[in-house]
Amino acid sequence: MRQRYQVKQPQRSRSYESDDEERGACEWCEYALVITLATILLIGVSALTVFWVIYYRDSYGWAETDPERQFNLHPTLMVAGFITFSGFSLLLYRICRCFRRIYVKLLHAIFHALAFPCIVIGFLAVLDFHNKKGINNFYSLHSWIGFVAMGLFGIQYAVGFFSFLLLLMCSKGTASFRASLVPIHAAFGILTFVLGVCACLTGLTEKALFTLGAERYSGLPDEGVIINVIGITTVAITAVLMYILSRDKFRPQLRDRRISVDL
């Protein structure tokens, strides 16, 4: 009697299978277009912020006699941390399609590790600036949103580090626990990114009104245009990233390799 069994091949590690043969030319063009667009926007928003600060705000510094230049670190580092690095950390699971999962997780952690000092130094820069100028802290909507975003970012980083990296040392025993955390971690990761975008938009508006004044800003000077372009770029980044993350076809599939054996 011939019986058919499914036998699993031993695997050294889990990896994302390439599904090139399953995709049509149109789908690959769409995928390449949105990933390229997201990459350009993520890098471009930080480049625009640096240009704005250097060209219009007299560059950077950290000195008791020049707190204004110290403040300039705040928008630059917050955009880099909350938008650029955090955005790339979200994109990794769509870009690194042929990498082993452990490598994707490590890259995800590295981008968050790059964002962490940016956010901390950016926060300390504005906090010290306010203290030097005698300005109250945490009074505006911008500061409240930013504070919540920083808190969620810290919690996300700690949870991700311990659950997806440290617990991998005992992968079999913690597999179900880590799997249950995946949708929660992903949802709060997107929420943190969106809050970071909201903090950046409200902060840019505050900076434009405080430095240019409402009357001059309404006349749309060159600096006001640059500030608005930075804000629109962050909105475009959010739209493109949400589109990419919502497309199931862009999600790499993890499959078990099986072979059929006739006995």
Side-chain angles (χ1 to χ4, degrees):
M1 179 182 296
R2 295 171 60 85
Q3 296 181 344
R4 190 178 183 87
Y5 296 93
Q6 293 288 335
V7 179
K8 272 191 180 181
Q9 287 183 335
Q11 295 182 11
R12 293 182 180 179
S13 62
R14 301 174 75 191
S15 61
Y16 293 118
E17 276 195 357
S18 175
D19 53 351
D20 293 2
E21 69 281 358
E22 297 180 7
R23 295 182 178 275
C26 292
E27 289 183 7
W28 271 113
C29 287
E30 178 193 6
Y31 172 78
L33 178 63
V34 293
I35 292 296
T36 302
L37 179 61
T39 302
I40 293 172
L41 290 173
L42 286 169
I43 297 174
V45 71
S46 284
L48 276 173
T49 307
V50 172
F51 169 77
W52 165 50
V53 168
I54 292 176
Y55 193 82
Y56 292 101
R57 295 287 103 203
D58 198 25
S59 192
Y60 305 96
W62 196 300
E64 293 290 335
T65 57
D66 197 1
E68 297 291 342
R69 295 176 68 188
Q70 175 182 323
F71 175 86
N72 292 339
L73 291 168
H74 176 67
T76 305
L77 292 176
M78 287 304 193
V79 167
F82 274 124
I83 307 299
T84 300
F85 290 133
S86 294
F88 274 119
S89 72
L90 292 176
L91 272 183
L92 280 174
Y93 288 96
R94 302 297 186 270
I95 297 176
C96 303
R97 305 182 59 82
C98 300
F99 285 41
R100 291 168 56 184
R101 290 188 70 198
I102 184 61
Y103 295 155
V104 180
K105 292 177 185 294
L106 288 174
L107 285 172
H108 182 74
I110 287 171
F111 271 103
H112 276 296
L114 292 172
F116 187 80
C118 291
I119 294 171
V120 171
I121 297 173
F123 170 70
L124 293 177
V126 70
L127 189 67
D128 192 49
F129 169 79
H130 279 191
N131 292 336
K132 289 175 181 177
K133 288 285 195 176
I135 302 173
N136 292 331
N137 294 304
F138 303 112
Y139 68 91
S140 66
L141 177 62
H142 164 64
S143 60
W144 285 28
I145 295 174
F147 189 76
V148 174
M150 287 189 296
L152 282 177
F153 181 88
I155 295 172
Q156 279 285 99
Y157 189 82
V159 171
F161 182 79
F162 285 106
S163 63
F164 293 107
L165 296 180
L166 292 184
L167 293 182
L168 283 177
M169 294 186 300
C170 182
S171 59
K172 291 184 179 180
T174 60
S176 59
F177 170 71
R178 287 184 288 112
S180 66
L181 283 180
V182 168
I184 300 173
H185 183 69
F188 276 92
I190 294 173
L191 174 62
T192 303
F193 179 80
V194 172
L195 284 174
V197 169
C198 293
C200 288
L201 292 175
T202 53
L204 288 169
T205 304
E206 275 192 10
K207 183 62 176 176
L209 292 175
F210 290 166
T211 58
L212 300 177
E215 184 176 352
R216 186 184 170 202
Y217 185 37
S218 65
L220 208 61
D222 291 346
E223 184 177 359
V225 172
I226 294 296
I227 293 174
N228 288 352
V229 169
I230 295 172
I232 289 297
T233 305
T234 60
V235 173
I237 288 170
T238 306
V240 174
L241 283 182
M242 295 304 106
Y243 176 77
I244 292 172
L245 295 176
S246 67
R247 291 280 283 162
D248 289 336
K249 291 184 178 181
F250 294 164
R251 187 191 305 272
Q253 299 297 322
L254 182 67
R255 305 168 189 155
D256 292 328
R257 299 176 181 267
R258 297 174 183 269
I259 60 172
S260 297
V261 179
D262 289 332
L263 295 178

